[in-house]
Amino acid sequence: MAATHRLHTTTHLPLPREEVFAFFADAGNLERITPPELNFRIVTPQPIEMQVGTLIDYELQLFGVGFRWRTEIETWRPPFLFSDMQLRGPYRLWWHMHTFLERTTPDGRPATRMDDRVFWQLPLAPVGELAYLLVRFQLEHIFAYRQRVMQELMGR
């Protein structure tokens, strides 16, 4: 049986929740916040109308191997949260929840706390678990890159 792994990151952005959510509602922005070495490209014609059931196809490279990835928007509740689930791709399971919580800064300005929670399983269990540390390191790198780029794009 495959082990289910979890990754959780939190990003604080000095913008109102609606503005941060709108950035993620534009699927094209995913290319902007993905590390360039992944050669990530959205294949689905854009613009993509985000809603429950929306399918998005991507091409990317992971560890030098190219593949296609398809996700489905499973939950869509602007401007509070959305989730996507892998239908085809490198993982046995990939489920990603994005939540957006508006806060007020000490000086009274709106800010947003964005949490990413990913639950994932590696393929080919139990042998696939041998790659756990490498995959975990790669995912942490991807999400750290996302945080840096979002701070550059949306930070004030």
Side-chain angles (χ1 to χ4, degrees):
M1 177 157 181
T4 301
H5 304 288
R6 181 175 184 241
L7 177 70
H8 178 204
T9 63
T10 299
T11 306
H12 296 276
L13 298 164
L15 296 171
R17 173 177 46 207
E18 288 78 11
E19 198 170 329
V20 175
F21 192 92
F23 179 85
F24 285 90
D26 180 349
N29 283 325
L30 190 52
E31 291 181 9
R32 297 172 68 188
I33 62 172
T34 301
E37 67 269 16
L38 295 179
N39 296 316
F40 181 87
R41 186 173 72 87
I42 296 175
V43 178
T44 302
Q46 296 186 53
I48 298 169
E49 182 182 348
M50 300 291 272
Q51 61 187 356
V52 172
T54 295
L55 301 176
I56 307 173
D57 291 307
Y58 320 90
E59 290 179 345
L60 65 146
Q61 291 183 350
L62 194 58
F63 306 118
V65 177
F67 60 90
R68 291 181 67 102
W69 190 331
R70 171 175 273 186
T71 61
E72 178 179 7
I73 301 300
E74 182 183 65
T75 308
W76 185 254
R77 287 190 227 145
F80 305 102
L81 64 91
F82 72 96
S83 66
D84 57 88
M85 186 166 142
Q86 172 192 282
L87 299 180
R88 182 181 67 229
Y91 297 93
R92 180 176 179 171
L93 167 76
W94 177 271
W95 184 80
H96 185 181
M97 172 69 77
H98 315 250
T99 58
F100 304 83
L101 181 62
E102 187 158 290
R103 299 282 193 197
T104 302
T105 64
D107 61 357
R109 290 185 291 174
T112 301
R113 173 184 163 154
M114 186 187 81
D115 287 283
D116 286 291
R117 290 177 180 85
V118 178
F119 293 88
W120 51 284
Q121 294 177 348
L122 291 166
L124 309 171
V127 176
E129 287 300 313
L130 295 173
Y132 168 75
L133 290 176
L134 180 63
V135 173
R136 176 76 187 200
F137 174 79
Q138 182 67 25
L139 288 175
E140 288 173 353
H141 166 71
I142 291 168
F143 279 85
Y145 180 88
R146 285 176 61 148
Q147 287 179 309
R148 280 192 310 276
V149 172
M150 286 187 298
Q151 288 291 344
E152 290 170 9
L153 292 172
M154 292 187 251
R156 289 188 181 152

